[in-house]
Amino acid sequence: METEPFKRYITIGLAITSLTLITIFYISNSSNSNYFDFPKLQLFIANNYTESVNTTRICCLILTTPKNFLTRAKAIHETWGSLCDRHFFITENSSESNSAEQINITKQLPIAPITDIIPGYDHLTQKSVSAFLFAYQNYINDFDWFVKADDDTFIIVENLRAFLSKQNTSEPVTFGYNFKVIVPKGYHSGGASYVLSKESLRRFYTAHKNPNSSCRKDGGAEDVEVAKCLRNEGVYPGKSLDDLNRELFHPLPFHDHFRGSFPDWMLSYAENPLETVISYLRLSYE
Ligand SMILES: *[C@@H]1O[C@H](CO)[C@@H](O)[C@H](O)[C@H]1NC(C)=O
Ligand SMILES: *[C@@H]1O[C@H](CO)[C@@H](O)[C@H](O)[C@H]1NC(C)=O
Ligand SMILES: *[C@@H]1O[C@H](CO)[C@@H](O)[C@H](O)[C@H]1NC(C)=O
Ligand SMILES: *[C@@H]1O[C@H](CO)[C@@H](O)[C@H](O)[C@H]1NC(C)=O
Ligand SMILES: *[C@@H]1O[C@H](CO)[C@@H](O)[C@H](O)[C@H]1NC(C)=O
Ligand SMILES: *[C@@H]1O[C@H](CO)[C@@H](O)[C@H](O)[C@H]1NC(C)=O
């Protein structure tokens, strides 16, 4: 897309600083044992990205809403969204605010042709369910992994691909930030984004097509409802950690994870010990 480089950097900067993050930190393996050596901290970029490109095909389903088209959706489209093998924005259709700019952006964004989405936070479950059914019906054979993200998610797609390339998509498994409560075996935080294997998506679809299943089509909390449905079908949440047991998905804004400003409920929800940049640095020097 033609964008002035300057504007583009602002967009990227905003995306990185203000949005929820899924990332892998790579901490330099320096022999210097100063834990607070922040300049040595760099984002891990998979060093063999090319190897997994053809074998780990990722379809990203990004939930958004028309009022965010020109801001969040556009930023994602110009940054990480386009690094997925294919990405779709999942949105309700809105006839309001049809400015020329709005109409223009609608033409540029890959919006999934789903017509029955109900607007509103209360209907997030329906948006996700529609997204997954759409992905199954049209693309189950074209991709290996199916990501559900929101328009305030930031994904380092190269890292996600490197991680997924080591996983088996024929397994009924999902990856994300693990909460250990409410659903048997726990569930993935919706805010951190999560990934379904091909087999998981197939089971999700089959369950939703079965009138006897208890899978909810709308209402409740999106992340909980999707997990409950998958759990009834034998799909389990995978271990979403790197080799040093560092989290790969992050539900809170970047700075909260960085500094360790966690809300109280996180302590009882999180499956793994809460970590900050300090504990990550410490791990890398052990
Ligand atoms: C990545 O993999 C390709 C193909 O196997 C190989 O040619 C290349 O040297 C590798 N690069 C790195 C940095 O390991
Ligand atoms: C991926 O597949 C395409 C088409 O088959 C091929 O041209 C390309 O070289 C492959 N890339 C890698 C990294 O293997
Ligand atoms: C939204 O509705 C308008 C008017 O009915 C229609 O022209 C347009 O194709 C619809 N867009 C989507 C994404 O369904
Ligand atoms: C809409 O897009 C066209 C082509 O991309 C461009 O020439 C035009 O200036 C845009 N209009 C607005 C209002 O953004
Ligand atoms: C992947 O999982 C399927 C289903 O459990 C299994 O049959 C297959 O052997 C696994 N493949 C590898 C490479 O482990
Ligand atoms: C749904 O339940 C009914 C009654 O138990 C059963 O006869 C029917 O085969 C079930 N349908 C499916 C698709 O499992």
Side-chain angles (χ1 to χ4, degrees):
M1 183 168 304
E2 294 299 317
T3 316
E4 290 166 47
F6 175 68
K7 274 194 186 157
R8 202 179 169 102
Y9 285 130
I10 291 185
T11 313
I12 294 172
L14 284 176
I16 291 176
T17 50
S18 69
L19 305 183
T20 313
L21 186 72
I22 149 195
T23 181
I24 299 173
F25 286 117
Y26 173 71
I27 291 131
S28 157
N29 268 333
S30 158
S31 56
N32 179 345
S33 63
N34 179 355
Y35 292 169
F36 303 95
D37 205 355
F38 288 138
K40 284 208 162 60
L41 184 77
Q42 36 181 280
L43 287 177
F44 171 89
I45 299 295
N47 64 4
N48 217 333
Y49 170 62
T50 48
E51 242 177 17
S52 53
V53 163
N54 285 353
T55 51
T56 311
R57 296 162 302 170
I58 301 175
C59 176
C60 296
L61 307 163
I62 305 148
L63 310 192
T64 188
T65 188
K67 81 172 165 54
N68 293 340
F69 281 180
L70 284 163
T71 51
R72 295 172 175 194
K74 182 170 184 287
I76 290 176
H77 183 62
E78 290 175 1
T79 58
W80 68 263
S82 297
L83 295 175
C84 303
D85 294 280
R86 192 137 180 206
H87 64 294
F88 290 101
F89 290 99
I90 312 297
T91 177
E92 63 272 21
N93 197 348
S94 145
S95 48
E96 43 187 274
S97 71
N98 277 337
S99 65
E101 234 189 341
Q102 192 90 17
I103 291 164
N104 249 13
I105 194 74
T106 311
K107 285 183 194 145
Q108 289 164 26
L109 298 175
I111 295 173
I114 306 174
T115 49
D116 58 352
I117 291 174
I118 311 166
Y121 189 80
D122 294 345
H123 301 289
L124 221 45
T125 300
Q126 196 248 359
K127 218 172 214 177
S128 269
V129 169
S130 298
F132 286 134
L133 300 188
F134 161 78
Y136 180 88
Q137 284 168 329
N138 297 283
Y139 298 107
I140 186 69
N141 294 318
D142 297 341
F143 302 101
D144 302 302
W145 300 95
F146 297 85
V147 177
K148 195 257 20 172
D150 297 326
D151 61 11
D152 61 352
T153 307
F154 188 85
I155 297 181
I156 299 174
V157 179
E158 296 91 328
N159 292 353
L160 179 65
R161 198 188 298 278
F163 170 69
L164 292 175
S165 70
K166 297 184 203 119
Q167 311 299 333
N168 183 349
T169 197
S170 305
E171 278 286 310
V173 68
T174 56
F175 296 101
Y177 184 86
N178 292 351
F179 285 144
K180 65 183 176 192
V181 293
I182 304 173
V183 183
K185 296 197 174 106
Y187 69 102
H188 301 308
S189 153
S193 82
Y194 56 86
V195 189
L196 268 60
S197 70
K198 216 172 193 170
E199 178 59 18
S200 303
L201 181 62
R202 192 187 65 73
R203 293 189 188 195
F204 187 82
Y205 177 83
T206 310
H208 272 277
K209 289 295 147 185
N210 181 349
N212 295 348
S213 94
S214 58
C215 293
R216 277 181 81 162
K217 308 232 177 279
D218 197 7
E222 178 266 332
D223 44 13
V224 168
E225 293 308 327
V226 169
K228 275 186 184 164
C229 177
L230 290 169
R231 215 61 78 239
N232 281 336
E233 302 303 315
V235 175
Y236 62 92
K239 179 170 170 272
S240 313
L241 304 171
D242 73 1
D243 296 341
L244 291 173
N245 282 331
R246 295 175 299 199
E247 297 284 358
L248 302 180
F249 295 78
H250 299 85
L252 302 179
F254 171 72
H255 47 86
D256 289 349
H257 285 284
F258 191 89
R259 292 188 318 209
S261 19
F262 300 111
D264 289 343
W265 60 264
M266 276 280 279
L267 282 168
S268 49
Y269 272 53
E271 181 180 273
N272 302 307
L274 298 178
E275 286 164 339
T276 65
V277 70
I278 305 298
S279 49
Y280 282 173
L281 284 168
R282 199 166 285 142
L283 269 173
S284 77
Y285 288 112
E286 267 168 9

